[in-house]
Structure formats: structure tokens, C-alpha cells
């Protein structure tokens, strides 16, 4: 782990674990805006310029603009850091690299399909996938009935964004219903508007040479679909009674329309003016005006009209501006207009209906005294949309997103660290056991780390807990480890039957809940007792564990295995092997160990097939315990066949579960059957614990360091190196979780997950000791070879 990561982790532990707000305390958010930009003549370029300027005025950030195509970079204002060609897919990676390297906290993408290259604007996904900064995407067009291409293009952008911003409630509805975007990912921020006073029109009319006229205004880049021809169709009826009306069509032809079709649309409008004899009532201003010029024209107008042809439009900057300046607005009922002009803030007319337009305009002109009320309602509504307020909303959103992103980044660093050797050495496993143990035993299950009392206890868990807590005691200087061991021994003494076998389930009230725990329970208890006999430094623990163990194996037929089930037999072998390490002159235990190990070898030979090196026709649970058991038997009885069989089976488990990057454990839904495929979920921690244990023993017996690497990679499963890419570990409270499902990690944590995790940790620590000893021995041999006299005494 790097020094920077260690520092960040320290801050994470000190701040986030206490609910602190480290990364946002006085943190300046420098955003990067990806968009078209002025002086390009484009509505989104103007929008982004206004947003950027307002943001800078309020927050004095060091934000930057990455501009999409259009002009040589020298013609852009100084805030533009980089310009790229929208049609060159190769150009999309460079800005991502620049943004990643800069002091920029959040990226705001202004999205419109035509703004970016590729089919339906898909090139932008290339840039987004290279970014390492959080992304907030402002969506200017949300199609309610998209083609597959447009649908896919927008989905790709949404998936790579932490939040999406829309400018109408209708857009939220469409994103949820059509694109299945979670509501919490969508933020409504209105289209920004200038903060201008409520004014009368006469001053501005005089300034623009429009005095004495009733001004009807449409503004925007001209293109078919704007519906201006419908207004021209309606005007003859209106001007018949109101000849002072002047309709101004303000704006250049859209650059893309002009590039493909020239001025055909404008010319068609001019022809219609001539045919309708409206030369004295229509004025074309073929110009892309500045913001100040636009505000003057809107201020001079009496009525603003947007006769658009498509209902799909979910935002309109021109309509927003007109409302904000307190204009009477007439519009067709596209989505944005319906929302903004509700509650008598304007007039809606049907699509493609010149008669309705004529009737509405005539009504307004005939009752001019009623216009003030509509104007006032529109202006008051527009106050919530002024640019300073919009910039504030974006700033709050950027802070929120950056906080979430930073926290996730810290969690990733925490995952790396908590999976590291440094943390491994100081992890306190005792606390995990202690939190699950009462005066009776270790609880089977929890809900979110809190013991679930109704499930009580099991000898399966308590037997394993006994053996593992004594392994923990070898590394952790915790007096409580032996106190727990004594509780576990008392439990096992309580559940042992007259015939030496064991009950399994005990209720919270300490009542026995079964007749017999079965072979798995017998084997797991024997395994834990054997570990206690071998590892305990407390005589009372050793003696009582031996007594219970002896009663368990007393009177068994020495030539027969203690179980015919491979896993149960493996548990028994582990217990017998440990027992014999402490008491090697125990003939009954040795005979039972040999019978069990021979039985597993026999099962292996019976079931072995090409590409199937296993003891049964299926791979189920706690699989690596079987080859581990055979290696344990080999360490005591020295039969080479035990080791070769174990290594072949362990290699098989590795091949079917390790893909070269992470371990993809056989799931418990139908397991893996020879010739019938395998399940991938749910994956259980018990498999990881046993794998690490088996790799550790293989390292000890073969000196092959590749087993150490496999053990570490298997252990990393707990920390996100798995098929879902999520930790199977509660990073805040420091305990393992119950498993990995198709949708992520199971939030609960029972005894088995804690036992499996602790087993893996103790085995990794054992491996470090083994390798250190071998390294020291090799070093001593090298020194002796260099100086043959070094090993002799002085008397020699």
C-alpha cells in the first residue's frame, strides 16, 4: 500500500467511521464541463457558458471547459482547457486523461445526441469509460419513444454517470418508466435564466425602433420543426383587426440545417410572408444575438410564441427566458411548455392548428388589460430559475456526488489495506468470536452482525470454534481466547451422548433439539477437539478436550472409517491427525486415521475420470477440507499416496474455481455435478477458509510458493476479488459476511462466516512463519557454505 493510501485510510478510519465529512470540509469543488461552448452558435454552448460563468461568480472555482469541436482552440475563451473533434473516435481518450490528471473533482457532461460523433452520438461513451472522476450528466433531450440506437446510446451515458440532471418533471417520469433509471439517480434542476427586473416594454421598443407596435416574438436557431410557418398561417386573421402587430423571427438558421439544406427553410417562411401579404407585420432578423441583445428583444416583446411541432421536447431555453422576463407566452403543448405554463402562467394551443393560434392571439390583443396578471405569474415562477440559484443547485449536487465518490474510493483503499499483509498482522480476531459468544456457546446466525437468538447454537459451529480460537490464541495476545475455549468445551461436554457421539442443535434456552447430530457434526467436533489437544497451552483445556475425544472414538471398529461420507471423514482425519501429534503413541487413533485416509483414497480412485480428480461425482460444500485432511494424514503416517492424491484433488479444485484473476467458487444452488455443469451462486465463505488452509498445508509440505499466492488470491475473495466485484466483508464494523449472491454480498454474518474467515487469517499467518523459517534456514546454509569454520566451536 502506498503512503498516500495509508494516509487516506487513516483519515477514513478517523473521519468516516465516525460519520465525519473530511473530504467536503472547506473543499473547493472544481468542476469540468464537457460541452459545446461559445463562441460556437449553439443553444447548449450558450447554456454551458451561462452556467459556468454563474458558478465561477459564486464559488470562484478553478473549473475548466472541455469543448466539443467547432473552432480552432485559439478562438475560445481562457476557461476552455481542451478542444476535441467530435467525429474522431481517437480524440475522445485524450480529454479523459487530461481531466483525470487535473485538480478537478466532478465532470458535468452536457448531453445532446447531435453534440457527439458516432451513430446516435455514441462516441461520448468512449470518453466516459476512461474517466476516473464522478460524472453528472445534464440531459437536454429524453425521447419518449426512442429507436433502439438512441435508447442504447442514452443508457450507456446514464450507466457511466453518478447522477443525471433533467429540467422538467416529465423527463423524470420518462427516465423512470422508459429507461428504468432509479429515482434517486435523477435530479431536477431548472433551466437557468437571467436575473432581470420586471419591466414594461416601451423603453426597449423605442431603443430597438419598434415603438408603437405590439410585438410578437419567436427566437432560436431556425429549423423545420419549430413551427414558425403555423404562426404565419394564423397572422392574416389577427392583423385584420390588429394591424399594429409585428411578428419578429429572431435567429440564424441552425448550422447543421444550413450545412445540409442551406437557407431553404427560411426562404420558405419568407415566401409565405409574401403570399399572405404580411410584409408589414413580419420581421426576420438573421443573426445569432448575444445574451444582452436577446434580453432586449424579449423585454421589448408583448407576447412570446413557441409553436413547436413535437410533444417530445422536454426543455426549451427560449421559453424559460421568456417566462423569467415576465412575458405572456403562447405555446403548443410540448412536455416542457405544459409544465412551465401551468396554473395560468401562459396559453397553450393545439399542435398544427393555425386557427387556434389566431384565436388565442386575437383574444390577448383584444383584452390587453389582462396581460399584466399573466406576466406577473410568469415572472414570479421564473425567480426560482435564475442562474445564481441554478448554480447553487449544481454546486450542492457536485458536493454530494464528490462526497459519495470519495467515500467509495476510500472504501476501495480500505479494502486493499484490510486485505493486505500489514492489516493481517494486526487484525483482532478475538473480538469477532467474542461478539458472537455468550455463556453457552457461539450463536449460529446474526442479523446485520447482531446475534439472532431464536436459532440458538450448534455443535457444528462450537466444535470448529474451539479449534480455531486456539489457533487465534497463538498469534493474538488475548487472554479471552482461552476463556472462550473453555466455554466451547463446556458446550461440547454438555452435548456429548452416552455413546460418545454428539447432539448438534441447542436452543437459546439450552434445550437439546435433536436425537443425534449426524456424521458431519461428529467429525467437526472431533476436528475441534483434536486441535485443542494439539494446540492448547492450558492443561485444563488439553485434559478435558482429550477426555471428550477419547470417549468419542472409544469402541469404534479400528479397521473401518469413522464415516462413509467424504467430508465427515475428512473432519475426523483432521482431528485424529492433530491428536496424534500430541499423543503419537495412541494406537486406536492411528488405526482409525489410516482406515479413514485409505477410504478417501479409495473413493478418489473409484470416482476419478478424465478432467475429474475428485472423491465423488459432485463438488458440494467445504471441498478443500478433503485434500487438506489427506495432507494431514500424510504428515503423520508418511504415506506418499495421501499427498499425491491430495495435491491432485487440490489442483482440480483450483482449475474449476480460479480463472486466473479471482476465485469463482462453486455455488450452493445445485452445486457442481460431473457432466451436468455447475452453480455459481450462492458462494460461501467456508470454501475460502478451507482453500486457504489447504494451500497453506500444501506450501508446508511441498515448498511450492505458488500455493502461497493462491492462498492470498483466495483470501481476496472476501475483499472484492470475486465474480460480483464486491467485498464479502463489512468494512465499517470489521467482520465477514455470510456469502456472495447474484445481486451482491449477504449483509448477515453468522458463526460459519466468522470461523471461515478466522481460519483463513490464521493459516496465512502460519504461511508467513513457514516461509520466514525456510528463508532463515536457507540464509544460514549460504553463510555456512561461504565460511565452513562458522559452524565449529572455539575448542575445535
Amino acid at each position: 500500500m502506498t503512503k498516500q493510501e495509508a494516509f487516506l485510510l487513516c483519515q477514513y478510519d478517523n473521519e468516516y467511521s465516525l460519520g465525519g465529512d473530511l473530504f467536503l470540509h472547506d473543499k473547493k469543488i472544481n468542476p469540468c464541463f464537457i460541452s459545446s461552448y461559445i463562441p460556437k452558435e449553439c443553444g447548449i454552448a450558450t447554456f454551458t457558458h451561462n452556467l459556468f460563468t454563474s458558478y465561477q461568480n459564486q464559488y470562484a472555482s478553478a473549473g475548466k471547459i472541455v469543448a466539443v469541436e467547432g473552432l480552432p482552440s485559439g478562438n475560445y475563451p481562457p476557461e476552455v482547457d481542451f478542444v476535441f473533434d467530435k467525429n474522431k473516435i481517437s480524440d475522445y481518450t485524450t480529454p479523459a486523461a487530461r481531466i483525470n490528471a487535473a485538480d478537478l473533482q466532478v465532470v458535468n457532461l452536457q448531453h445532446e445526441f447531435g453534440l457527439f460523433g458516432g451513430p446516435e452520438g455514441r462516441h461520448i461513451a468512449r470518453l466516459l469509460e476512461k474517466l476516473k472522476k464522478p460524472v453528472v450528466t445534464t440531459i437536454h433531450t429524453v425521447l419518449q419513444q426512442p429507436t433502439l440506437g438512441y435508447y442504447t446510446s442514452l443508457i450507456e451515458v446514464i450507466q457511466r454517470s453518478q447522477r443525471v440532471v433533467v429540467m422538467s418533471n416529465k423527463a423524470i417520469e420518462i427516465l423512470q418508466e422508459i429507461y428504468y433509471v432509479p429515482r434517486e439517480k435523477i435530479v431536477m434542476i431548472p433551466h437557468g435564466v437571467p436575473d432581470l427586473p420586471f419591466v414594461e416594454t416601451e423603453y426597449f421598443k423605442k431603443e430597438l425602433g419598434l415603438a408603437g407596435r405590439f410585438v410578437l416574438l419567436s427566437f432560436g436557431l431556425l429549423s423545420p420543426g419549430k413551427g414558425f410557418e403555423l404562426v404565419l398561417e394564423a397572422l392574416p386573421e389577427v392583423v385584420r383587426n390588429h394591424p399594429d402587430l409585428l411578428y419578429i423571427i429572431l435567429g440564424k438558421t441552425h448550422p447543421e440545417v444550413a450545412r445540409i439544406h442551406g437557407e431553404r427553410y427560411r426562404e420558405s417562411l419568407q415566401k409565405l410572408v409574401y403570399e399572405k401579404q404580411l410584409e408589414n407585420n413580419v420581421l426576420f432578423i438573421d443573426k445569432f444575438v448575444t445574451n444582452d441583445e436577446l434580453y432586449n428583444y424579449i423585454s421589448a416583446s408583448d407576447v412570446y410564441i413557441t409553436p413547436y411541432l413535437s410533444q417530445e421536447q422536454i426543455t426549451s431555453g427560449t421559453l424559460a427566458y421568456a417566462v423569467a422576463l415576465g412575458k405572456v407566452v403562447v405555446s403548443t403543448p410540448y412536455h416542457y411548455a405544459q409544465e412551465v405554463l401551468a396554473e395560468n402562467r401562459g396559453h397553450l394551443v393545439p399542435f398544427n392548428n393555425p386557427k387556434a393560434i389566431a384565436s388565442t392571439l386575437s383574444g390577448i390583443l383584444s383584452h390587453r388589460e389582462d396581460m399584466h396578471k399573466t406576466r406577473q405569474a410568469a415572472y414570479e415562477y421564473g425567480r426560482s430559475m435564475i442562474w445564481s440559484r441554478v448554480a447553487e443547485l449544481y454546486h450542492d449536487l457536485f458536493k454530494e456526488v464528490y462526497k459519495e465518490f470519495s467515500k467509495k474510493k476510500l472504501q476501495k483503499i480500505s479494502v486493499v489495506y484490510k486485505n493486505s499483509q500489514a492489516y493481517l498482522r494486526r487484525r483482532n480476531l478475538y473480538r469477532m468470536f467474542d461478539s458472537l459468544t455468550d455463556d453457552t456457546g457461539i450463536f449460529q446466525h446474526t442479523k446485520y452482525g447482531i446475534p439472532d437468538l431464536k436459532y440458538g447454537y450448534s455443535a457444528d459451529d462450537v466444535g470448529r470454534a474451539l479449534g480455531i480460537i486456539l489457533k487465534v490464541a497463538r498469534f493474538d495476545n488475548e487472554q479471552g481466547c482461552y476463556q472462550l475455549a473453555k466455554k466451547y468445551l463446556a458446550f461440547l461436554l454438555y452435548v456429548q451422548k452416552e455413546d460418545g457421539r454428539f447432539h448438534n442443535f441447542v436452543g437459546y434456552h439450552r434445550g437439546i433439539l435433536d436425537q443425534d447430530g449426524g456424521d458431519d457434526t461428529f467429525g467437526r467436533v472431533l476436528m475441534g477437539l483434536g486441535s485443542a489437544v494439539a494446540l492448547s497451552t492450558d492443561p485444563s483445556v488439553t485434559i478435558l478436550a482429550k477426555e471428550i475425544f477419547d470417549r468419542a472414538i472409544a469402541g469404534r471398529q479400528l479397521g473401518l472409517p469413522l464415516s462413509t461420507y467424504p467430508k465427515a471423514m475428512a473432519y475426523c482425519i483432521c482431528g485424529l491427525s492433530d491428536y496424534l501429534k500430541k499423543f503419537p503413541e495412541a494406537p486406536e487413533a492411528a488405526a482409525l486415521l489410516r482406515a479413514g485416509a485409505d477410504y478417501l483414497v479409495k473413493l478418489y480412485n473409484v470416482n476419478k475420470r478424465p478432467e475429474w480428480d475428485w472423491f465423488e461425482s459432485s463438488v458440494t460444500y467445504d471441498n478443500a477440507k478433503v485434500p487438506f485432511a489427506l495432507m494431514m494424514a500424510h504428515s503423520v503416517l508418511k504415506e506418499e499416496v495421501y499427498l499425491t492424491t491430495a495435491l491432485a484433488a487440490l489442483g482440480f479444485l483450483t482449475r474449476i474455481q480460479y480463472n486466473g484473476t479471482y476465485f469463482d467458487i462453486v455455488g450452493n444452488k445445485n452445486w457442481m455435478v460431473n457432466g451436468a455443469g455447475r452453480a455459481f451462486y450462492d458462494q460461501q465463505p467456508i470454501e475460502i477458509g478451507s482453500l486457504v488452509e489447504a494451500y497453506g498445508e500444501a506450501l508446508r509440505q511441498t515448498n511450492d510458493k505458488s500455493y502461497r499466492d493462491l492462498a492470498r488470491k483466495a483470501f481476496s475473495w472476501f475483499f472484492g476479488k470475486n465474480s460480483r466485484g464486491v467485498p464479502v466483508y463489512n468494512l465499517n464494523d470489521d467482520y465477514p459476511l455470510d456469502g456472495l449472491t447474484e445481486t451482491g454480498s449477504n449483509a448477515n454474518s453468522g458463526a460459519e462466516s466468522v470461523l471461515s474467515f478466522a481460519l483463513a487469517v490464521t493459516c496465512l499467518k502460519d504461511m508467513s512463519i513457514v516461509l520466514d523459517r525456510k528463508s532463515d534456514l536457507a540464509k544460514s546454509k549460504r553463510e555456512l557454505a561461504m565460511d565452513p569454520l562458522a559452524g565449529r566451536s572455539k575448542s575445535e
Side-chain angles (χ1 to χ4, degrees), residues 413-431:
I413 295 171
S414 180
V415 166
V416 171
Y417 178 56
K418 291 189 175 185
N419 189 26
S420 70
Q421 294 300 302
Y423 192 76
L424 189 67
R425 285 190 287 272
R426 74 179 186 90
R427 179 180 271 112
N428 191 314
L429 296 171
Y430 163 75
R431 286 201 298 265

Side-chain angles (χ1 to χ4, degrees), residues 399-695:
K399 285 177 62 177
E400 178 182 309
V401 168
Y402 178 63
K403 176 181 178 180
E404 290 177 6
F405 186 82
S406 298
K407 196 169 183 179
K408 287 181 180 178
K409 188 174 181 180
L410 283 173
Q411 286 174 335
K412 288 180 180 178
I413 295 171
S414 180
V415 166
V416 171
Y417 178 56
K418 291 189 175 185
N419 189 26
S420 70
Q421 294 300 302
Y423 192 76
L424 189 67
R425 285 190 287 272
R426 74 179 186 90
R427 179 180 271 112
N428 191 314
L429 296 171
Y430 163 75
R431 286 201 298 265
M432 293 185 187
F433 284 75
D434 189 51
S435 67
L436 287 178
T437 302
D438 67 356
D439 288 339
T440 302
I442 190 167
F443 290 104
Q444 285 195 84
H445 301 293
T446 72
K447 277 286 189 182
Y448 312 110
I450 301 170
D452 196 341
L453 306 185
K454 64 177 175 289
Y455 290 102
Y457 323 88
S458 76
D460 270 353
D461 292 334
V462 175
R464 288 179 289 175
L466 171 63
I468 296 171
I469 197 63
L470 290 173
K471 292 178 181 177
V472 171
R474 295 172 57 221
F475 302 104
D476 293 358
N477 187 24
E478 287 280 0
Q479 294 300 316
C481 288
Y482 273 90
Q483 293 173 3
L484 292 179
K486 291 175 181 179
K487 289 181 181 180
Y488 300 150
L489 267 177
F491 181 94
L492 298 178
L493 181 64
Y494 175 63
V495 298
Q496 189 168 35
K497 298 163 58 180
E498 290 295 325
D499 64 359
R501 288 174 66 84
F502 301 91
H503 297 286
N504 188 20
F505 296 114
V506 175
Y508 182 61
H509 58 286
R510 295 186 177 177
I512 301 293
L513 302 179
D514 57 32
Q515 295 298 315
D516 185 88
D519 283 9
D520 269 10
T521 298
F522 181 80
R524 285 172 168 172
V525 172
L526 209 64
M527 178 172 65
L529 291 168
S531 293
V533 169
L535 299 175
S536 175
T537 59
D538 184 321
S540 63
V541 171
T542 305
I543 293 169
L544 181 55
K546 183 178 185 302
E547 285 184 6
I548 300 172
F549 190 101
D550 288 342
R551 279 198 298 273
I553 65 171
R556 309 298 172 189
Q557 288 187 266
L558 301 184
L560 296 177
L562 287 172
S563 176
T564 57
Y565 298 105
K567 305 298 168 44
M569 190 63 250
Y571 301 141
C572 293
I573 288 173
C574 293
L576 291 162
S577 299
D578 273 339
Y579 183 93
L580 285 163
K581 289 176 183 177
K582 189 67 170 278
F583 299 104
E585 304 301 326
E588 297 87 355
L592 290 170
L593 173 61
R594 186 176 297 278
D598 288 345
Y599 178 70
L600 287 184
V601 172
K602 179 181 177 182
L603 284 180
Y604 174 83
N605 291 327
V606 168
N607 288 280
K608 178 177 167 51
R609 300 286 186 277
E611 304 301 319
W612 189 264
D613 295 303
W614 198 238
F615 304 85
E616 304 173 89
S617 61
S618 60
V619 174
T620 55
Y621 67 93
D622 206 3
N623 299 295
K625 191 65 77 176
V626 186
F628 172 75
L630 279 177
M631 285 186 277
M632 291 286 285
H634 172 261
S635 69
V636 175
L637 301 177
K638 310 303 180 185
E639 293 286 352
E640 195 64 25
V641 68
Y642 299 161
L643 180 60
T644 56
T645 302
L647 295 178
L650 185 58
F652 169 71
L653 290 179
T654 304
R655 290 196 303 275
I656 64 172
Q657 296 182 114
Y658 179 57
N659 60 21
T661 303
Y662 57 83
F663 276 82
D664 199 4
I665 301 303
V666 171
N668 65 4
K669 294 179 180 178
N670 300 320
W671 308 111
M672 178 177 183
V673 179
N674 189 13
R678 59 163 288 182
F680 290 91
Y681 299 101
D682 293 347
Q683 299 182 17
Q684 305 294 308
I686 189 174
E687 307 303 326
I688 299 300
S690 293
L691 275 170
V692 174
E693 180 185 45
Y695 289 135

